[in-house]
């Protein structure tokens, strides 16, 4: 393809992209593709073509074969997971990045790539109101780096945390480095390390622990505390780990969990963690963290920290739920000075297309000490000078794309005020959704919120008392027969290294078993509310017009509605709510009919 | 930015890209930027703009501020590292990918993204002549996945290898799963695991071992064996590991190492590894693997496997060097049936812009068993059906970009014959370079190959006997004084868990020390040849017109010249060679002058 052919092809591609974006915004394509698994293979040749094909041969296949198989994340009817915004300035960034291709693993491999990254990460640290500790010019040697995803950010941090813990411990014990004693001690410690997170944390912490080769235990949360970590639960988990001979080295605290946007109250948890100074504290703010661009999130209004007082004055805190959870940062982001690292994804809510996960650390040396490997072919005088940043030592891969460009273009095209406007507008759309659930006639009759709406996410389920009584009675009879299975499951785990989660599961199953044997209609209604909430989501997704996700925790299954993408609007939320109401009522009728036959 | 603004901006961006590509091809920009570390920050505002900026404000900064800080990997004078090709069809792929943005972690998140990936990876498995075991429809359940880089591919595989090893071992010992005994056994084994690779393997294996939390030991190679792993050295390393109480679980064998494109002879190593059936064998063919698209690499001519006979008939193989190393695949790629996984990067030599690393496994279950974590919000009926692939369980990150598009476009635009033509043309350019070293008057006088040229890579250094005798005599006197430092270093490591590499280093330092105390002029000339070879590269790079890398191993420092990119040509190689000759002669003169003053 020569320059002229490229120009022609690229112009045509631009028209495709504009057309696609317009169609998606106008809801011309159903949000989910109506194809079956394996739809594509029969439409393509069995083997790669031997001879070159022209763009005229290739391009039509995008419209005829690829677009019909896409899930449209920019659709106003995409309300699943979290959003993944795509914007025009971001596409321009990827165009240039691809043209300037360089696996820029060190400064010399493309200085602009490294330097622009440092600059825009500092811009964003300020724009997000993060403490200056996270800036590249901070006296403590902090800094930011673009990772591909929050999962990558978290596993990178966990490896750094693991190595820091092992070496701090050996240093404290006065073991020479290197020495056989130190190696033996590290080998012994390694098999006892445990990473912590709430039972609500994103699966990336569990996966990170697998990759880092350590245990993972979860701190149990409850709906009473809005699924945020209670300081007593944290303390109890830490004590249990230590009693079991484990060594806690790392904790993920969440600013906006995936299921419900729960926020672990750092101001209440930090005092607990101060007694364990070698534990690395990481804040996973993958989705919600970008809201910190708005002062109302970064510096919440006076009085929002009342929970602090309630909690710290209590004599028996374990009996006190976090009645008014105030989120991670009720005292403003200055509380983040007490954490080691923080990540948030611009590619979710902040208008940069995937991938652009921002990771900030207070000490970049913690990363480079763990991850730097310097063979001869990667050494150069710039690296040796200490004047440049070699981001390869801040991440798992060696090579890296020029992702700072798209962030630069987006931030400049929107301005910080434009980013704020996007967050605020979509939060309002989310609040509209919550209002429909709590204030509309249908909403009040059929649904209940499971947690307080936050960051444009509304979590609700079918009210147990909204389920037709005939269905509840029948289900109650059915469930009583299923006790045996539950019993079998409850004997599954007896390991001393079993996670707290697993132990909780055992306890839950036992209590479930008890409740089933003396089955109450209330429990049966609860179970049906959960089951029907899930079925409503599946039925809606099967129709491909609206994409929702359900989630399930601590005995409640619920519907999640997310409103963060650029095309989200009150109008589409209202239509979505109508669909949810209609589908719920139809499900009741359908199940009643099935019961009668 | 609305559609009309985007159209205008994107058309302008396309002209920028065409202009950039044309300039780079015509060598208008020096390959290396002549800027100093920190060049960019003073040119940009301290903070992100509060208000939106138009594309007219943004675009000029690309030409004025970014391009001057780029290293031009497409320049015909880029002969460093390995190439990173950027092509027009690839840029088109990134444009669409960015527009269709979706963190497609499972099938439902964008079925086309998953299905096209499976299809093009199968196309490539065939095009690269890989065994059918690696195809997604193989009876053994193999398959391919696109990773961001070889480093990511390797650490992913190492984690899968580690978990497979631990569980196989426990299964073999009859430990119930789960059980406290099993957990305890795994904890004990975990701290003894050791990954292996040649001392020439890319640093990604060492880094992967850090991330996976295991030891790493290297098999020592020698120039006598063209830096390929000798089966006896492998056997010796394995035995040493076991004698030290370690558990070898994984080995990287290389098809084209980074320093010299050495190829570990799998046909000779597989018989050794057959006695250790639980070791995961991974082939890192990051750069050279894409040459398998050419039948002459995939199925080398008759007789090429003569080394096999020489080696296997020998009574005392340890005394027999691999006299005619025939590379990894002298019996064709069918030998790859004996390995567990294979990776090669299209983003290096095969015309797809970064990132596009192809990873193939013989058993995808090995990956998913290790890496699958399934919280409620990621479950759906398609995943449960088993009919779809969820690539999130084949990799470290959760989300993933639609990278199959650019591969699809490139393969179709070039056709397999076009890919082959690119490999063959650039290999010829490389052979031209090797000829200049070995056959030209200057080459014969000044340089010597350190290894056989391969895959367009020529490795050579200044001949020790080409160094002016006056310089050698002076250096000899200087070097005799440096013995003390060497001695200090040699006492650095005494750990039983020290790597074989470290132990070798001790031995090397001891022998170096001996040779220094009875310093011969020959050794001084060797040292100068190394030092000058490195200085020649640094001097050339400082001038920014030509970008080379030096490398260093087993006492030789050498110049690497790589000819894989789309703009590489005999003409530029000749100019580069002239520059290397001229710089070498100038260096001799300069050092002689310095000596006289």
């Amino acid at each position: 393809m020569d320059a002229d052919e490229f120009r022609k092809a690229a112009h045509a591609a631009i028209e495709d992209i504009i057309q696609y974006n317009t169609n998606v915004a106008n809801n011309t394509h159903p949000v989910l593709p109506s194809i079956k698994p394996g739809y594509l293979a029969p439409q393509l040749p069995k083997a790669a073509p031997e001879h070159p094909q022209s763009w005229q041969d290739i391009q039509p296949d995008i419209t005829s074969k690829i677009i019909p198989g896409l899930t449209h994340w920019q659709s106003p009817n995409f309300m699943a997971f979290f959003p993944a915004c795509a914007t025009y300035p971001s596409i321009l960034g990827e165009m240039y990045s691809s043209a300037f291709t360089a696996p820029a693993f060190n400064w010399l491999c493309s200085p602009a790539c490294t330097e622009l990254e440092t600059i825009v990460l500092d811009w964003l640290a300020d724009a997000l109101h993060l403490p200056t500790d996270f800036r590249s010019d901070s006296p403590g040697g902090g800094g930011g780096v673009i990772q591909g995803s929050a999962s990558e950010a978290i596993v990178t941090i966990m490896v750094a945390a693991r190595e820091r813990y092992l070496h701090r411990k050996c240093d404290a014990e006065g073991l020479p480095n290197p020495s056989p004693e130190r190696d033996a001690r590290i080998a012994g410690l390694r098999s006892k390390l445990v990473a912590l997170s709430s039972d609500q944390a994103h699966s990336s912490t569990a996966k990170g622990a697998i990759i880092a080769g350590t245990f993972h235990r979860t701190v149990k949360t409850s709906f009473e505390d809005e699924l945020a970590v209670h300081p007593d639960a944290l303390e109890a988990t830490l004590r249990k780990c230590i009693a079991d001979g484990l060594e806690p080295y790392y904790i993920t605290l969440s600013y906006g969990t995936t299921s419900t946007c729960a926020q672990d109250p750092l101001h209440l948890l930090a005092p607990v963690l101060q007694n364990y100074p070698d534990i690395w504290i990481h804040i996973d703010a993958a989705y919600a963290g970008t809201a910190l661009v708005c002062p109302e999130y970064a510096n919440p209004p006076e009085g929002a920290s009342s929970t602090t007082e309630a909690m710290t004055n209590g004599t028996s805190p374990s009996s006190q739920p976090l009645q008014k959870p105030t989120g991670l940062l009720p005292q403003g982001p200055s509380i983040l000075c007490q954490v080691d690292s923080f990540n948030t994804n611009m590619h979710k809510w902040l208008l940069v297309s995937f991938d652009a996960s921002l990771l900030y650390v207070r000490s970049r040396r913690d990363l480079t000490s763990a991850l730097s490997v310097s063979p001869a072919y990667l050494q150069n005088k710039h690296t040796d000078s200490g004047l440049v940043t070699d981001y390869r030592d801040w991440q798992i891969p060696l090579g890296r794309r020029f992702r700072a460009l798209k962030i630069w273009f987006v931030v400049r095209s929107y301005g910080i005020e434009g980013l704020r406007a996007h967050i605020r507008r979509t939060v309002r759309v989310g609040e509209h959704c919550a209002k429909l659930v709590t204030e509309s006639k249908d909403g009040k009759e059929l649904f209940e919120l499971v947690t307080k709406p936050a960051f444009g996410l509304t979590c609700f389920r079918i009210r147990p008392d909204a389920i037709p009584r005939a269905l509840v009675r029948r289900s109650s009879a059915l469930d009583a027969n299923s006790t045996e299975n539950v019993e079998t499951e409850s004997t599954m785990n007896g390991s001393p290294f079993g996670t707290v989660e697993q132990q909780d599961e055992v306890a839950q199953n036992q209590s479930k078993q008890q409740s089933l044997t003396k089955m109450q209609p209330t429990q049966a209604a609860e179970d049906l509310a959960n089951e029907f909430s899930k079925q409503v989501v599946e039925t809606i997704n099967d129709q491909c017009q609206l994409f929702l996700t359900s989630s399930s925790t601590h005995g409640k299954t619920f519907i999640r509605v997310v409103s963060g993408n650029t095309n989200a609007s009150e109008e589409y939320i209202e239509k979505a709510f109508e669909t949810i109401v209609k589908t719920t009522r139809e499900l009741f009728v359908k199940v009643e009919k099935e019961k009668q036959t």
Side-chain angles (χ1 to χ4, degrees), chain A residues 206-227:
Chain A
K207 191 165 175 176
I210 292 172
I211 293 163
T214 72
F215 292 105
H216 172 228
R217 285 195 179 181
T218 56
V219 182
K220 198 178 169 185
T221 61
S222 70
F223 277 105
E224 212 179 6
D225 295 331
E226 288 276 332
L227 301 176

Side-chain angles (χ1 to χ4, degrees), chain A residues 486 490 503-515:
Chain A
V486 175
S490 73
Q503 290 154 19
D504 287 345
E505 206 179 314
V506 173
Q508 271 176 27
N509 283 339
Q510 281 163 351
S511 96
K512 195 172 172 187
Q513 189 189 341
Q514 284 160 9
S515 73

Side-chain angles (χ1 to χ4, degrees), chain A residues 7-74:
Chain A
R7 182 180 290 110
K8 224 174 133 187
H11 284 198
I14 286 161
E15 295 313 309
D16 271 357
I17 289 169
I18 291 173
Q19 186 66 54
Y20 174 74
N21 262 21
T22 311
N23 284 345
V24 168
N26 295 334
N27 201 28
T28 307
H29 301 297
V31 59
L32 280 166
S34 41
I35 46 92
K36 295 268 172 287
Y39 88 99
L40 188 57
Q43 299 185 59
L44 295 183
K46 292 275 172 228
E50 179 64 19
H51 307 297
Q53 298 180 345
S54 72
W55 185 247
Q56 288 70 35
D57 296 327
I58 298 168
Q59 195 194 7
D61 285 349
I62 299 161
T63 306
S64 66
K65 300 183 173 70
I66 299 302
I67 292 181
L70 295 178
T71 297
H72 306 295
W73 287 61
Q74 309 315 311

Side-chain angles (χ1 to χ4, degrees), chain A residues 2 52 75 105 118 220 235 288 295 302 367 412 419 427 432 472 506 539:
Chain A
D2 66 20
S75 163
F105 40 83
T118 306
K220 198 178 169 185
E235 182 73 63
E302 287 279 331
L367 283 179
R412 294 180 67 178
L419 303 182
V427 166
H432 190 65
V472 177
V506 173
T539 306

Side-chain angles (χ1 to χ4, degrees), chain A residues 12 21 23 30 34 40 50-51 102 111 191 202-203 336 354 374 386 397 470 490 492 505 519 528 545 559 576 592:
Chain A
N21 262 21
N23 284 345
S34 41
L40 188 57
E50 179 64 19
H51 307 297
S191 59
H202 186 264
S203 60
L336 288 175
F354 188 82
S374 285
S490 73
M492 198 184 74
E505 206 179 314
M519 171 63 72
L528 277 182
Q545 300 296 324
I559 302 166
E592 278 189 300

